[in-house]
Amino acid sequence: MTDRYAVLEQLGLAASNPGAATVKELIDTRGAELPSIDPARGETMAVVRGAGAAEYDQVMQLAVDAFPVWREWPAPRRGEVVRQIGEALRRHKDALGRLVSLESGKILQEGLGEVQEMIDIADFAVGLSRQLYGLSMHSERPGHRMYEQWHPLGPVGIISAFNFPVAVWAWNAMIALVCGDTCVWKPSEMTPLTALAVHRIVQDVLQRSGAPEGTCGLLIGPVDAVGSRLVADRRVPLISATGSCAMGRKVAGVVAQRMGRSLLELGGNNAIAILDDADLDLALRAVLFAAVGTAGQRCTTARRLLLQKGVAGAFLERLTAAYKQVPIGDPLAEGTLCGPLIRHGAVENMMRALELAREQGGQILTGGGRYTQGACARGYFVEPTVVRAHRDMPIVAEETFAPVLYAIEVESVDEAIAVNNAVPQGLSSAVFTRDLRAAERFLSAAGSDCGIANVNIGTSGAEIGGAFGGEKETGGGREAGSDSWKAYMRRQTCTINYSTSLPLAQGIQFG
């Protein structure tokens, strides 16, 4: 068993820790203590003293002051700093991965995978620092050249959630830094230690590189003292926020009112369709990880299983048998596949959702209760659950952040697409089929309306090379790969007249 206190000591964390930091220093905050609770044991590991209004003003002003300096560093030089951050994260991967597991409850393989995700996005950003390309366009006016270029945007506010306590920050921060922006991070109050540990590692790299003090700031504190101020701050041109759809609606409204930009990564209600010709062995493994991984606490978790009638009975029989064999327990123990939910309230939310499912005509096929065997009685453990459901049950349209999977029968690929699209969220989706026409139908404009659509793989486990995000109430934002970097920069269209005349566009004659 991992000595959690040894992990904290290894990462420079104490029993009581400050809740704000810059590149130069950890700020001695004096706010209310925010406990970091080990969800597998229901015990406090350490506390963070919350940041308040004074610390917010200090960190934000430094970010504003640092931006004019940081944006003047050549992008490849900024990329070299990010490369060093990636190398530092590599050196601390094991301890950080264990801390992610201890604090968020995800199993060790997923904790290590989250740290690897930070490393991967740092590597991606290093290459990107030499590829912030603009386009050259042909002008309609003779003797003119027209092109576009991209400039740094400004301080970026990053609000991350507990389920990916550090990877989501890295998706944003590594890209923003090479783009020439400064960053201010407000992590989840439920996972403050991982944020502080990562900031300390980054802080050391930035100090050695000579980066301005406000290049990266950290503010751990309550919504009113930190989060609301960050969202409303006119000095922050971009807010990237990850959380619930309800949170996203509030953030979007405040940011839009001040004419800022918001990059929102919100709820998912993801479906996997399994057609009659699917490889059921492949589908079983994919559904199990997508639905049970991270104890159902991913925005890309599979929450709906759309089964064509020809395979529905056989697949559900195999799936329920597999569910009963899922090892539940200490997320750091070898062999565990399902750890705890993040807090007791999450357990209560799952139980309420299952009661509603029963009232609406659902039938629990396996699971459905708390898991209290042995030492798990002290933590926030539940049984991964499969519910036989129908498409019109209201609860099916909601996202319950827990390992609850609704199994729904469909007649055809077109009905599967219709059911997939019939919820307010639009993040991730998948179809299992050997039929090229069905696969292409699912991926077409008439197919899945989600930001992510997969064939013969599950809904979760996205790679950093592709843009990540969704449509509808998922928020429409895109992070990580592809051309997502453009959200962190401002576009400028330039026209140069190298002639001695002044022709006007559209052939207008004036004078």
Side-chain angles (χ1 to χ4, degrees):
M1 181 178 293
T2 294
D3 184 339
R4 50 185 165 169
Y5 298 108
V7 171
L8 300 187
E9 184 178 358
Q10 187 176 351
L11 292 168
L13 301 170
S16 179
N17 302 274
T22 67
V23 168
K24 184 178 179 181
E25 64 174 338
L26 299 175
I27 300 171
D28 186 18
T29 49
R30 302 297 176 91
E33 291 185 342
L34 305 172
S36 171
I37 298 173
D38 176 353
R41 296 172 176 83
E43 299 173 354
T44 297
M45 296 188 293
V47 299
V48 170
R49 304 183 299 278
E55 290 82 19
Y56 175 86
D57 290 337
Q58 178 182 351
V59 171
M60 180 52 65
Q61 189 58 55
L62 286 169
V64 171
D65 294 343
F67 173 62
V69 179
W70 182 247
R71 70 184 177 190
E72 292 287 347
W73 285 36
R77 184 182 175 194
R78 299 191 297 254
E80 169 58 19
V81 174
V82 169
R83 186 194 68 77
Q84 293 177 32
I85 291 173
E87 289 301 312
L89 292 171
R90 278 186 175 89
R91 292 192 294 272
H92 292 85
K93 179 179 174 179
D94 184 72
L96 278 175
R98 291 178 183 278
L99 180 57
V100 169
S101 293
L102 279 169
E103 196 169 39
S104 72
K106 59 177 62 177
I107 65 173
L108 181 57
Q109 281 298 308
E110 293 189 75
L112 294 171
E114 179 160 356
V115 180
Q116 187 61 48
E117 203 162 349
M118 289 198 289
I119 295 165
D120 290 345
I121 197 67
D123 289 349
F124 178 90
V126 174
L128 180 64
S129 68
R130 295 180 182 271
Q131 299 179 72
L132 302 173
Y133 299 135
L135 297 174
S136 178
M137 293 79 74
H138 288 280
S139 174
E140 67 184 64
R141 292 172 284 188
H144 285 60
R145 181 166 69 88
M146 185 166 57
Y147 68 98
E148 69 179 23
Q149 59 185 354
W150 296 83
H151 292 307
L153 182 63
V156 173
I158 303 169
I159 301 172
S160 59
F162 78 85
N163 59 328
F164 280 87
V166 288
V168 168
W169 168 81
W171 289 358
N172 287 274
M174 299 300 98
I175 304 297
L177 288 173
V178 298
C179 287
D181 303 328
T182 54
C183 301
V184 176
W185 182 14
K186 187 216 173 294
S188 168
E189 296 166 56
M190 291 188 283
T191 50
L193 298 182
T194 48
L196 187 57
V198 166
H199 183 85
R200 289 174 63 95
I201 292 167
V202 173
Q203 184 183 49
D204 178 64
V205 173
L206 292 173
Q207 283 180 355
R208 287 187 283 105
S209 70
E213 184 176 358
T215 304
C216 282
L218 177 68
L219 290 162
I220 305 171
V223 171
D224 55 350
V226 176
S228 296
R229 288 173 179 269
L230 182 61
V231 170
D233 200 322
R234 293 181 177 274
R235 297 171 294 179
V236 184
L238 173 65
I239 295 290
S240 178
T242 301
S244 69
C245 295
M247 180 273 278
R249 278 188 284 271
K250 294 178 183 178
V251 170
V254 173
V255 176
Q257 191 170 20
R258 63 176 178 86
M259 304 300 285
R261 300 184 195 176
S262 55
L263 196 166
L264 302 175
E265 298 288 358
L266 309 176
N269 190 351
N270 315 292
I272 297 177
I274 300 179
L275 304 187
D276 285 346
D277 66 340
D279 180 334
L280 297 188
D281 290 334
L282 193 67
L284 182 64
R285 295 197 300 272
V287 170
L288 200 61
F289 174 68
V292 177
T294 325
Q297 297 175 117
R298 285 179 180 238
C299 53
T300 53
T301 291
R303 309 203 182 277
R304 295 174 296 144
L305 181 61
L306 314 180
L307 295 165
Q308 197 167 6
K309 290 190 175 181
V311 295
F315 190 81
L316 280 176
E317 184 176 342
R318 294 180 63 181
L319 183 65
T320 53
Y323 262 59
K324 292 172 182 176
Q325 298 175 41
V326 170
I328 304 169
D330 181 351
L332 285 163
E334 186 176 353
T336 299
L337 294 183
C338 185
L341 297 184
I342 187 67
R343 292 290 186 271
H344 178 69
V347 178
E348 293 298 317
N349 287 341
M350 176 176 165
M351 297 303 118
R352 282 194 292 269
L354 292 177
E355 184 58 35
L356 287 172
R358 292 187 190 96
E359 293 174 3
Q360 295 168 14
Q363 176 192 2
I364 293 179
L365 301 180
T366 187
R370 295 173 172 84
Y371 186 82
T372 57
Q373 293 186 22
C376 292
R378 294 183 293 161
Y380 312 126
F381 292 89
V382 295
E383 297 170 339
T385 303
V386 179
V387 181
R388 191 192 303 275
H390 57 82
R391 60 183 293 182
D392 297 321
M393 290 169 52
I395 192 65
V396 171
E398 299 180 16
E399 180 190 36
T400 301
F401 223 54
V404 177
L405 181 66
Y406 298 106
I408 302 168
E409 288 191 9
V410 296
E411 294 282 355
S412 64
V413 65
D414 284 337
E415 185 180 2
I417 290 169
V419 177
N420 176 79
N421 296 351
V423 295
Q425 311 86 356
L427 179 52
S428 188
S429 58
V431 64
F432 280 79
T433 180
R434 291 184 173 97
D435 187 338
L436 178 63
R437 289 173 297 180
E440 290 292 345
R441 177 76 173 164
F442 189 80
L443 300 178
S444 73
S448 169
D449 65 359
C450 297
I452 299 170
N454 297 329
V455 176
N456 293 331
I457 63 171
T459 53
S460 57
E463 299 178 35
I464 59 94
F468 180 89
E471 301 298 325
K472 301 189 294 188
E473 290 190 8
T474 301
R478 294 295 186 275
E479 294 171 338
S482 186
D483 65 347
S484 297
W485 60 270
K486 292 179 178 179
Y488 305 88
M489 304 195 81
R490 60 181 177 88
R491 185 196 310 248
Q492 186 177 76
T493 301
C494 306
T495 307
I496 300 169
N497 180 3
Y498 58 89
S499 73
T500 58
S501 60
L502 192 66
L504 300 179
Q506 293 83 49
I508 295 173
Q509 300 296 320
F510 188 79

